[in-house]
Amino acid sequence: TGATTLILVGMIIVFLVFICLIMFIQKLRRQRIEAKVQEDVNNEFTKTEMKEKELDNYKAISAINDQLLRSLIQSVSKLELKQPHELSTSSFMQTESASTSGNLGQLWFSIYYDYTKGVLKLSILHASYPPGHSDNPADVWVECCVLTPLNTVMADTRTTSRKATVAPVFNQAFTFKARADEVRQCLLRLTLYDQQPKKSEKAVGSIIVPLSSLDLDAGVTLSRILH
């Protein structure tokens, strides 16, 4: 009887130990599963946070780009509102028309003096007419004269003819011999001519520019209103 009791007690102890072992293993598996789930949640949260940061960065960059674009547009708008004679380095392809009442048109040119060669370099770029002139097409050209202080012609030439539009383009360059000690005493006279079909030529208008008033070293684009 005593032996039987010991055997039963031993079996019960072994069974309890087996049950505890199974429970311990299940607890470890549950902890591993929970840790895995938590890790996945953390990774997903990190990815979401990174995406939100990237989105915030993109919005910030977009806002900066929009601000720069607006600034650029405002700068360009201000630039376009200026008259060509206010922009000495403006492109000769601008085609603004003279809007002041009585204006005969406008002429763009550049002039430069080469002191090493004693040569005055003149470029006739383009002209513009008041609205309505293009309704009557004509051949147009520019006569260029360098005048002495006594108003005598020291040198003269002319561009080739162009069909008159709102802004005929010439893009022609000329050179004149001139002494360095005399060049700033000279005057530049530019006269725009046109000729209607079957009619005689006529002077549209002219400009007279004292070379002493110009920076002959710069060679920048200039414009003057015809009179």
Side-chain angles (χ1 to χ4, degrees), residues 109-213:
F109 63 97
S110 67
I111 191 163
Y112 168 77
Y113 185 72
D114 189 336
Y115 285 91
T116 59
K117 298 180 179 179
V119 171
L120 188 66
K121 299 180 179 180
L122 171 68
S123 295
I124 304 300
L125 304 176
H126 80 118
S128 71
Y129 286 95
H133 184 89
S134 58
D135 297 335
N136 300 305
D139 290 333
V140 297
W141 64 92
V142 177
E143 183 185 84
C144 314
C145 292
V146 179
L147 306 174
T148 68
L150 299 177
N151 208 31
T152 59
V153 177
M154 185 174 74
D156 66 335
T157 186
R158 55 162 285 179
T159 66
T160 55
S161 298
R162 297 287 190 270
K163 275 295 180 184
T165 62
V166 174
V169 177
F170 300 100
N171 283 349
Q172 288 190 262
F174 308 97
T175 58
F176 307 99
K177 282 288 185 179
R179 289 170 48 183
D181 59 341
E182 294 180 349
V183 65
R184 293 191 175 278
Q185 302 175 23
C186 296
L187 305 173
L188 176 66
R189 184 181 68 195
L190 303 177
T191 306
L192 184 66
Y193 285 89
D194 73 359
Q195 184 173 17
Q196 300 289 337
K198 300 181 180 180
K199 293 184 179 180
S200 60
E201 66 184 45
K202 70 172 184 177
V204 176
S206 63
I207 60 174
I208 296 179
V209 183
L211 296 187
S212 59
S213 66

Side-chain angles (χ1 to χ4, degrees), residues 14 20 46 66 110 147 211:
V14 170
C20 291
T46 301
D66 290 341
S110 67
L147 306 174
L211 296 187

